[in-house]
Structure formats: structure tokens, C-alpha cells
Amino acid sequence: MTADTGPALYGREAELAAVSQLLSPLPEPVAAERVVRVAGGPGEGRSALLDRAARDFPGEAHVVGAARRQVPWSGARALFTALAPSGAAACRAARLARGPDGIATALAACLAGRGPVLLCLDDFPLWDAHSRAAFAAHWRAPGARGAARVGWLVASAPGRPLPASDTAPLVRLPRLGRASARALLDDAAGGRAGHAVAERLLDEAAGHPGVLVEAVRRLEPGVLAGTAPRPGTLVDDDVLGAVHGGLLAALPVDGRRLLGVVARACGAPDASGRASEDPDRTDVGTALARARSLRVPIETLDGLVAAGLLHRHGDALAFPDPFLRRAAAAGHGDRVHDRRDRRPTRDRSGTDRAVASPALTGPPDLPASSALTSTSALPSSPAHLSSSPLPGSPASPALPSSSALPGSSALPGRAALPDRHERHRADRLGPPPAVRARSAAARGRALVTRGFAALAGGPVMDAHEAFLQAAKVLRDREPAEAADARFLAMEAAWAAGDVGACLAALDLAPAVPGTERTFADGLRAALTVRPDRARTPLSAVVAVGAVRDEPRLLLRAGSAALVLGDVTAAARLHGRALARARAEQRSSLLPRILEHLAYAELRAGRYARAGHTAGEGLRAARATGQLNSAAHQHAVLALVASVTGEGPSVAEHAERALAIGRPHGLAQAVTLAEWALARAELGSGLAAQAAARLAPLVRPGPYGGHFALRMLAVPCFVEAAVASGRAAEARAATEEYARWAGFGIDRPAPAQLARCRALVAHHGEETSRWFGEALRRHDDGGNDFERARTLFAYGSWLRRRRRPSEARGPLRDALVTFERAAAEGWARQARAELRATGAPGTRSPDPTALAGLTPQQLRIARLVADGATNQEIADRLALSARTVDHHLRGVYARLQLRSRVELSALVAAAGTGTGSGTGTVDPGRGPRGQRAPNTWVQ
């Protein structure tokens, strides 16, 4: 075939005709843009179908794949680069895509006066999340959306659901018929396949084009011609691993492990001892029992079924594709294929698709070598394990792409294949020759480089996967680097809050002798909640770090101290690591070291220091482009601001932390940010809102908070739950917290446990006894802020028991500590409690505090000041009296008032009663016209 005829398609005439019929012609005007979905498994030729559809389309057509560098909006930018007449126009379109009308406005700017246009989006689920969401919203929007007539052809593989509307037509690619498979075989083998070998290949490949092509490629010329002895199986596990390895490697680690367990259970006897007659089917109970025995999480089973990788029929699980089962059983998901090899656009004469091009090459190579770099997970995770610069520093040039195909001079003894097949897709059918020719060390270091890029600014579980594969590749030849990669994989999983993935990384291979082995043993014991076994090895790591000056060893020792709960030692070790990194001018290490140090200061209750350290870490993270580190620094700053009572600052930092942490899977940063928002609400008297926010964080399991943080948030939850009438939940959380505090890994925990027991106690004598116990234990806890919270809770309880004279002492002590810590929200509550006891000299509420009310609350407060009853207010505002009472209680809680008289006096002092003067407060505005702080919190 000539270049003008386009890529060869075998047995896809019906599917191509269906696509053409659905997309052409596009009437003018169209009521809505047409979207057609194409689904096909690895190697089944969906990319070739897109290329051919683009070539056959009567108008303008573009094929766009996922960008190699996954950054926000990279997919949209690639598309608009193809459509726009200039680079400046493409940039404008990309900016418009982020606006209110999104993709529709951007398309109108690019395609004005043009049409019809066919846009083919290949491997769309591998595009960045921002682009996927924007295009999905565009497709689901009703009515005409573009200035030009546009048709969409969107392709995906199984296990990667398409976000297009379910009503969009779906074209599935079936297996090839015998005649089409034979034609493909003749093309792939160059007509040199013997008759018997060809028949066996056709039988074993079962019409799968990618499997057939890969099997031909792997056969020696003599075996292919039938002149040399044939192996027992021509389509072996290596062939299937090359075809399906990319799909399996893209799965989350738990999902891939569970899929392998199910695959190996297929055909095995069930619980009754009967063996299944279907090799692709197994009993659910058998598979799950095997998974539990191997410590493989089973929560991903529903996701595998939903993705179509498994079918469930009653109590049976079945693989829809026998080849996928064999690849999963052989563990070929451990082969990481580069799924981001996409040229930004392709013209319609490209021939680099699966069925069109039987031979195999692959993506441009990654850098051939890259030293293991220093990084770590978020604070409280283990430290960075090596010391060279982060990704982004100059790397060695990529290896040139090999053009040597079977039969070429580079690989003698193989049958030659046509040159037009050299640019075949590696993420379909296996790594290219250039990648296979690399040494294990070069491939492993390239994977480490990829992992660092994801750890710095991408999804952390992508980093985990890359590091995990690097550890396997480097295990035999570079054991020390493999150990570093293994710890880095564990750190990435720690940041994601995935205990199973952490253990999988630690269990990958025996650690090299020395500190690494001790550190791994201690972490494994800590992750499996065996603190008695973790204490000795982790203490040894801390002791070794205390006499060393290497930053990576100091970070490791500091992390071990954090796991043990020795925050004083952790702060000291991380401070030394910071000094050494600055002395050695290792700027890429600074954000991570400052993360650890800020977290250690936070745990020690030194909030001012923690805020200063996190601010410095945020600046360092921005300077070095480490978004994930910046997210954690924002979370720490939000938690510090929740103590000082700076509501807008809490909301701003928490919002920024969540904006990065949620899409990147940073469970640790997300938990800290949500905790900060809840603590700010609790400090403002919004106990019910704080309890609702904290409840998911303290819940165990995959949908709860980060495993290393959730117990630390329990005292806040207990306090908020008791104050909002959720006493049963508070008692259950207290009992779980008691078991955790018994491990002795958090110094303030015994005092906070006693406070929790006092809050949930049934009898007055029991409450008084527990508050006394809490105050005694605070003397050893070293956290003044938590001691002040206990004093405040105790004084408030005494005041409610009508013992005001006894309450004044604890409340005054709490107020002094809150003011010293600049915790204005807590200090405001303490002053209100002191006023309620009748203490002389207590400051009245600041009239500007009215700016913190919502517009509705402020209207009600002004009507109360005018002397209106609740019913009169309800009639005037068209509300129910019950709603008015609810708002009024919120006003009292926020302003720390007890009566309508106090509220009237405060409103009068602010000047809101007359609506004039300098003290006038506009609803929703501060005293100087600023937006009220509550509007920061959604």
C-alpha cells in the first residue's frame, strides 16, 4: 500500500463503516455535536481505526493523543495547538477553555468559519484530569455548542471508562475473523510463515491482532518458516505480557495484585473441593480467601468489575478475555510501559497504529541514566533516601530510537519486516527494542526519574508504581539503589495513606544489611500496629542519625523519631538536616526537610515556629516546582492559622492544599487541611459543623482520614461531638483513642484521653476526677495550647454546674495561654465564659465581631436589637420561628453572648441599629467594606 492509502486495517470494515455513518455527513446547523465512542482492548487496533477514520473523513480531521507530560490542561493545549492557526491563538483558546463556557468558547475561537471538523481523541482516559472534566462537561451540555460543525471520535481501552455521555454511540472492536487474521499474519511475517506454523499461530492467537503480531515478532526465522523445532506454545506468557502489560501496569497496585490473585485462582478447586471446568472462572469465596491469606486488599474488587476487567455472575468471577487472565496470572502488570507516548497531533497519513503496523517499536526513550535523588513523603513519613538533585536538573540525553527490527543488522538471524512498521505503539504491545537493549541499571534509573517527577508534582501513586518497578529492575544489579527505590515507593504510598502499598514496597525484597534493614523492620512493625516491635529498631535508627551529618540519614532518623512520637528528637534531627542541606547548597532538598521540621514543631505544640518553618518551606517548594510539597506546607499553615483564629487565612491555605492534594491523592495533606477547617470552626463556636467535618477523618478504613493522623484528630472530634449532641459517637471514638494512647507513641495523648473521658462522663464526680487527671498529665505533655483547652473545658463545665467562683481560675489560666499563643478565637470564648461567671474587668465583645455574621444572622441581630420577638422576626423575614431560633443560637455562639440584652448592647455599640455612622456594618461586609470571613468557607 502507498502512503496515500493510509494504514492497513484487517477485518475492521464493518466498524469503520459504522463510524463513518455516525459521523458523516454532519448537517448544518447541528443541534448538538456528535460523539462516538470506540472501545477496544490492547493491541486490537483502535488507534489504527481512529487514523483511518480521520483519513476517510470528507472534511478537516485531527488525531490527538495524551500528552507525554501530564500537567493540568496539557490535553486541551495539545488539541488547540492542532486546531489553532498560530501558537498565540492556541494559547488564547487554552485560556478560554478554563472560562465559564469552557470548551465551547475555545472551539468557537479556533474553528470560526471552518467545518466540518472531526476530532479523534485517542486514549482519552489517560489525559490529564482537568482536560477530561472540561471535555466531559462539554459533551454532556445540551443544545448546539460550537461555532463549527464538529464530530468527536473518542477511544479507550477496557479498564479505562470513557467520560462521554452514556447515550453516545459505542463501537466495540471484536476479534478478527480467520481470513482477516490470516491476511494480518502474512503481512506481519512477510509471507515467510510455514503453513503448519501459521495455522498454529491463528489458532492460539484466536483472532487477537496484537497477540498475533507479537507472537510473530518473537519467533526465530527458522521456527517461523517451520524448518526448526517449534516451542510447545507459540503464544506464551511473554507474548501476552507484552500486549497486556501496559493495561495492567496502569491499574492501582491493589487492583493489579487482586486481579493476579483472581487469575491464579481460576480453575482451582472451590471451598467444596470441586475444580472449575472453566479455566477463566473461579468462585468469589475462593478468590477472596486467597487474597486475604496473601494480605492483598479486596476493596478494589468492585472497581475491577465496574471497569469490565472481571465479570461477576452470582458467586462466580470470570475473565472476559482469557489472554488478560493469563497475563495477570503471570504478573506481567509489573512491567511498566510508557503510556504517555503521544505526539501532540498526527496528520492523516500516519501509519503508527496497532493493526496497521504489525512490527513493534515504541516511545522515545527516557533519559538513560539518572541518579537516585533525595526526596521524601510528607512529614511523618520516612525520609529521603539518597542525595542527588530532584528531577528537572540536566539529565543525560535519551538513547536514540533503534530502527533495528527483526532481521536487521542490529539483530541478526531474524526475519526482516517492512520499514513502515517501525513506529508501532509500545503501550499496546510491549517495550521497543531501544528500551529492551538498555541495561537493567539504566532502565531502573529512568523509572526512578519518572517516579521523582510524579512525587514532586503529580499523583503520588504514579510515583509509587514507578519506584516499585525501579526496585524490581535494580534488585539484582544495584541492590543499594533498589533499596532506595523501595523506600521511595513506600514514602509515596505513605503520602497517599495506603498501608497495603507501603507494606508491598517494604516486602518487595530483603533490605540491604545495615540501617536500611533496621529501618524497614521498624516501619513494617509500625504499619502493622505492633509498636512494641517497632520501638527497638526505630530507636536504633534515631541513635545512628544522631552521630551522622549526611542529610538523608538525618531525615531518616527524624522520620523514625516522628513515628515513635519523639517530636523533640525529630525537630532536632530535622533542624540539623536543614543546616547541612543549606551548607551544601542542596536547594531541592529544602522543601522536604522543611515539611518534616514544620510537622515536628506542629506535633510539639510550637505553632509559631511551625508557621514560620512552613512559610519558608512553601517559598522553597514554589522555587523548585514541587507542588506536592507546597500542598503540605499550605496544610500546615492552615492548621497553625486555626489555632491563631485567622479564619480567612485558614480557608485560603486549606483551599490551596485541597486543590492540589485531592487530585494528586495526597491523603496526608488533605487530612491536615480538613482538620484545620474543623478546628477553626470549633474555635469559633460552630461545634456541629466541626463534628460533621471531623467524623469522616476519624473513621477507620480506606474512606477515613490518613492512618498516621486520624487518631490525632480524635480529641477535637470528641469535643465537637459532645457539644453538638453526638455523645454516642464521642464515647466510641474515646474508647478507640484509649487503645491507641496505650501504645505510648504520642506524649500528649494520655492527657487528651483524660479530657475526652471527662467530656463523655455521665456523673459530675467522674467528670471532675478526669479533668483533674488531665491537668496532672498535661504537666508531662509539653503542649501548652492543649493544656489551655483542657482548662477551658474544665472551667466551662464548672460554670455550667453553677460553680462560678471555682470556674474563674481555670478560665483565667486558659485565657492567658490563648492570648500568649495568639489564639484569638479560643481567647474570645474564654472571655465569654469569664463574663458568664461574673468576673470583674472582663472585656466586652468587640463590636466589629458582627462582621463575622452571615447576612441573615445580621438581619436577625438587628431586629432583636429593635425589640422584636422571634415570631415577629419570622413574620417579617418570611421564615419560621424555629428557623429564627436556629439563627439566633448561631449568633450567640459566634459572638459568645448569653442573652438578647447583651446582643442588643453589642449591636447598638456597632451602630447597626441606626444604619448610620462609622460603625455601620453592611450585611456580608466587614466594618471597612471587606467581605466577612465566613464567606471564605464554602
Side-chain angles (χ1 to χ4, degrees), residues 44 111 115 152 288 300 308 327 332 424 431-432 443 446 494 503 522 526 551 624 629 670 729 757 770 775 874 883 903:
E44 291 185 345
L111 300 177
W152 301 85
L288 297 186
T300 57
H332 284 291
H424 187 65
R443 285 185 282 120
W494 187 294
L503 292 172
T624 55
S629 179
V670 169
E729 296 176 64
R757 291 200 182 280
W770 280 117
L775 292 173
T883 301
L903 178 58

Side-chain angles (χ1 to χ4, degrees), residues 870-887:
N870 285 6
Q871 187 59 54
E872 291 171 342
I873 296 172
D875 294 340
R876 183 166 178 177
L877 299 180
L879 301 172
S880 68
R882 190 171 182 179
T883 301
V884 172
D885 182 67
H886 170 76
H887 283 301

Side-chain angles (χ1 to χ4, degrees), residues 119-377:
L119 301 179
C120 303
L121 310 187
D122 196 10
D123 272 349
F124 184 73
L126 295 182
W127 289 34
D128 65 282
H130 296 73
S131 298
R132 292 199 311 269
F135 282 111
H138 175 71
W139 292 329
R140 293 187 176 115
R145 298 181 292 269
R149 291 172 291 160
V150 179
W152 301 85
L153 192 58
V154 189
S156 175
R160 305 172 189 161
L162 284 169
S165 172
D166 294 336
T167 61
L170 176 63
V171 176
R172 295 188 180 275
L173 300 182
R175 297 292 171 82
L176 299 181
R178 189 82 171 185
S180 300
R182 189 183 301 278
L184 175 61
L185 174 60
D186 291 341
D187 187 9
R192 288 183 286 274
H195 176 73
V197 175
E199 293 300 316
R200 276 193 58 186
L201 281 171
L202 293 174
D203 291 339
E204 294 186 19
H208 193 297
V211 170
L212 182 60
V213 169
E214 179 67 13
V216 170
R217 192 189 65 80
R218 288 175 176 266
L219 290 179
E220 296 290 341
V223 175
L224 183 63
T227 60
R230 299 190 297 268
T233 302
L234 300 181
V235 178
D236 56 16
D237 289 343
D238 289 337
V239 171
L240 300 180
V243 176
H244 290 87
L247 173 64
L248 295 173
L251 296 176
V253 61
D254 287 345
R256 186 172 68 247
R257 293 172 65 200
L258 181 60
L259 194 67
V261 170
V262 175
R264 288 185 285 274
C266 286
D270 58 17
S272 62
R274 296 195 308 270
S276 173
E277 297 180 358
D278 187 349
D280 299 319
R281 180 183 295 264
T282 186
D283 180 74
V284 174
T286 301
L288 297 186
R290 289 194 176 197
R292 293 188 184 98
S293 67
L294 296 172
R295 292 198 307 178
V296 176
I298 62 175
E299 290 81 4
T300 57
L301 178 61
D302 291 339
L304 296 174
V305 174
L309 300 177
L310 288 174
H311 289 172
R312 184 165 185 172
H313 308 283
D315 293 332
L317 288 173
F319 278 84
D321 184 356
F323 291 152
L324 175 62
R325 174 190 60 78
R326 289 172 55 186
H332 284 291
D334 294 337
R335 299 179 181 178
V336 176
H337 300 290
D338 186 356
R339 320 185 73 78
R340 297 173 181 168
D341 173 38
R342 304 288 189 276
R343 295 172 58 185
T345 62
R346 293 184 178 85
D347 60 27
R348 292 179 292 172
S349 62
T351 57
D352 56 340
R353 293 301 197 235
V355 182
S357 304
L360 307 173
T361 62
D365 297 325
L366 292 169
S369 64
S370 174
L372 289 175
T373 63
S374 287
T375 187
S376 74

Side-chain angles (χ1 to χ4, degrees), residues 367 369-377 382-395 444-456 463 467 470 474 480-489 491 550-553 555-556 586-590 592 626:
S369 64
S370 174
L372 289 175
T373 63
S374 287
T375 187
S376 74
H384 308 330
L385 302 175
S386 76
S387 57
S388 42
L390 276 170
S393 59
R445 288 164 183 159
L447 286 168
V448 169
T449 299
R450 188 184 306 167
F452 278 125
L455 190 62
F467 288 134
L474 296 168
E481 293 183 16
D484 281 355
R486 181 177 54 144
F487 281 119
L488 289 166
E491 292 169 5
E550 168 60 33
R552 72 184 184 94
L553 297 178
L555 277 169
R556 182 182 302 166
R586 294 164 69 171
S587 58
S588 62
L589 266 179
L590 293 181
R592 299 297 185 179
Q626 299 182 46

Side-chain angles (χ1 to χ4, degrees), residues 379-381 383 542-543 545-546 551 553-578 592-604 606 613 745:
S380 84
S381 69
V542 173
L553 297 178
L554 289 168
L555 277 169
R556 182 182 302 166
S559 298
L562 280 173
V563 175
L564 289 173
D566 189 352
V567 292
T568 302
R572 183 178 64 253
L573 291 165
H574 290 134
R576 287 179 53 202
L578 180 63
R592 299 297 185 179
I593 297 175
L594 289 165
E595 276 184 32
H596 284 250
L597 182 56
Y599 185 76
E601 299 286 7
L602 200 64
R603 289 279 302 274
R606 297 188 284 264
T613 303
I745 56 177

Side-chain angles (χ1 to χ4, degrees), residues 4 10 24 47 53 78 157 248 311 408 414 453 495 533 535 538 545 577 585 641 662 680 685 715 718 904 933:
D4 292 336
Y10 298 94
S24 179
S47 299
L248 295 173
H311 289 172
S408 69
R414 299 287 186 93
R533 297 190 180 184
R535 192 166 287 109
L538 292 180
Q585 298 183 350
R662 281 173 174 158
V718 170
S904 299

